[in-house]
Amino acid sequence: LDVTRTIDQESARANIKVTEKKPGNAIPLATAQVEEIPVEIELEGKFINFVSFILGISSNSEITRVKSF
């Protein structure tokens, strides 16, 4: 999974601008098939577009959760 591409696609769909994106190092989890990839992002736009972006990212089958925003 290319997390940065997913973020770009969802931000375009939600009509919100990504002003900064900092992917961290992958963190292997208990099973070898799953890893956590922390990403810090800054967004610019309307609140409703932000909500749409978060919903889109959260519903992505390859991304299991958004920890904080």
Side-chain angles (χ1 to χ4, degrees):
L1 171 67
D2 184 351
V3 175
T4 58
R5 185 175 62 213
T6 301
I7 290 168
D8 291 340
Q9 290 170 342
E10 285 299 327
S11 65
R13 188 192 59 72
N15 195 29
I16 198 162
K17 181 180 178 184
V18 177
T19 58
E20 190 169 355
K21 186 173 26 182
K22 296 180 188 176
N25 295 324
I27 302 166
L29 298 179
T31 171
Q33 296 141 349
V34 179
E35 62 186 10
E36 179 176 318
I37 303 173
V39 181
E40 285 185 41
I41 57 175
E42 289 185 21
L43 303 169
E44 183 178 297
K46 294 182 180 180
F47 180 75
I48 191 70
N49 300 93
F50 170 76
V51 171
S52 178
F53 173 79
I54 293 297
L55 288 173
I57 288 290
S58 297
S59 65
N60 185 301
S61 63
E62 297 292 325
I63 297 177
T64 57
R65 65 185 162 165
V66 175
K67 282 190 172 181
S68 65
F69 56 90

